[in-house]
Amino acid sequence: MNIQEIIGDAIKYPASNWRKLITLGILFLLVNSLPLLGGLLPAPLLVLIGVSLILMLIPLFFVIGYAFRVLRTTIAGFDELPEFDKIWGMFIDGLKVSSVAIVYMIIPWLIMNIGPFIAHSNPTASSITRLLGIIIAIIFGLLLTIAIAHMAANDRFKAAFRFREILDVISEIGWGKYILWYIIVAIIVWIISFILNFIITLGYIGLNIATGPLLAYIIANLLYAIFIRSYLSLFYLRALGLLYPK
């Protein structure tokens, strides 16, 4: 498929099943709202932080696991949104994808954050180190994206670290097409996010006047989770699955 066909398909894909789109949106909402419950406990600060982190990570791993399932079924040739079944497997997939992301991005993170701190006495060296970290993060990010797709295609955790195979996949796609795809997807995500954020903000202002701040806040966050985070996640993963060579 060419990039235009990929984008056209991916834009329509999330709305092909509203029930699943809303379900994913509710999971996104839980990622944001459950940690707030941890802050209500009468416990020391470190305990509150730990509980809030756990309450955030549990639904987050389900969100990532479902997104990974979307990627895997797309690569396998399915056009329907996958079911929210085999919950434990979905959670484990989310944990695996998160682990792969940490392994790939830990080096760029260290360079961007630790390097400038070490070189703080030399502003030039600190700036160069931070710039180098950003460049490395972009390169590793490009590799990470295909690494996760390669893991989904092979249904093997180790496939995410078969660097020669990952580079071969990128070469098969074409570096130029891959980078162009990345830029176009990023622009579309930004445009859709901006437009929907603007609409939801206007709606929040109106609801705030009509119903009060609490109900307006809840509705606005639910709409944000469904129509921005859920929709854009499905759009991105569908587009990536269609880009991956069959």
Side-chain angles (χ1 to χ4, degrees):
M1 298 178 73
N2 59 44
I3 294 179
Q4 183 178 355
E5 291 171 332
I6 290 173
I7 298 301
D9 183 295
I11 285 177
K12 295 181 291 184
Y13 178 75
S16 63
N17 190 310
W18 282 92
R19 177 180 61 83
K20 294 172 184 176
L21 176 67
I22 293 172
T23 302
L24 183 60
I26 292 173
L27 284 176
F28 269 116
L29 187 63
L30 292 176
V31 172
N32 292 333
S33 58
L34 282 183
L36 300 177
L37 299 178
L40 301 177
L41 297 175
L45 179 60
L46 287 178
V47 174
L48 293 179
I49 294 173
V51 171
S52 295
L53 183 62
I54 292 172
L55 291 175
M56 179 191 71
L57 289 177
I58 291 174
L60 180 61
F61 286 144
F62 282 115
V63 166
I64 297 172
Y66 184 76
F68 183 73
R69 185 174 293 179
V70 169
L71 178 59
R72 182 166 52 205
T73 55
T74 296
I75 293 173
F78 294 96
D79 294 324
E80 302 81 18
L81 280 161
E83 295 293 336
F84 283 90
D85 56 4
K86 300 179 181 178
I87 301 299
W88 178 244
M90 191 163 67
F91 182 86
I92 294 299
D93 283 341
L95 188 60
K96 289 179 180 179
V97 172
S98 300
S99 300
V100 171
I102 291 172
V103 171
Y104 267 82
M105 301 311 293
I106 188 67
I107 294 177
W109 184 89
L110 289 173
I111 294 174
M112 284 190 293
N113 292 276
I114 306 299
F117 177 77
I118 296 174
H120 69 279
S121 59
N122 188 329
T124 302
S126 179
S127 298
I128 292 174
T129 303
R130 190 175 298 277
L131 178 60
L132 179 63
I134 293 173
I135 294 172
I136 293 176
I138 292 172
I139 296 172
F140 275 56
L142 290 171
L143 294 174
L144 171 63
T145 299
I146 299 302
I148 292 174
H150 197 56
M151 180 171 71
N154 290 273
D155 200 22
R156 292 287 185 275
F157 178 74
K158 292 181 180 179
F161 303 102
R162 296 172 185 165
F163 300 109
R164 173 53 59 187
E165 293 180 13
I166 292 167
L167 290 173
D168 288 342
V169 170
I170 297 176
S171 297
E172 186 175 349
I173 296 170
W175 278 96
K177 180 180 178 180
Y178 180 37
I179 294 173
L180 180 61
W181 171 89
Y182 225 110
I183 293 171
I184 293 174
V185 167
I187 292 173
I188 291 175
V189 166
W190 183 86
I191 292 173
I192 294 176
S193 180
F194 177 82
I195 294 172
L196 293 180
N197 260 310
F198 180 74
I199 295 172
I200 291 173
T201 301
L202 289 180
Y204 170 77
I205 295 172
L207 285 170
N208 190 26
I209 297 172
T211 65
L214 180 59
L215 183 58
Y217 176 81
I218 293 173
I219 294 175
N221 274 274
L222 179 60
L223 293 176
Y224 179 85
I226 294 172
F227 292 105
I228 296 181
R229 302 188 71 180
S230 179
Y231 177 89
L232 291 179
S233 296
L234 295 175
F235 161 76
Y236 170 75
L237 273 303
R238 176 67 174 179
L240 176 58
L242 293 175
L243 178 72
Y244 190 90
K246 300 299 185 286

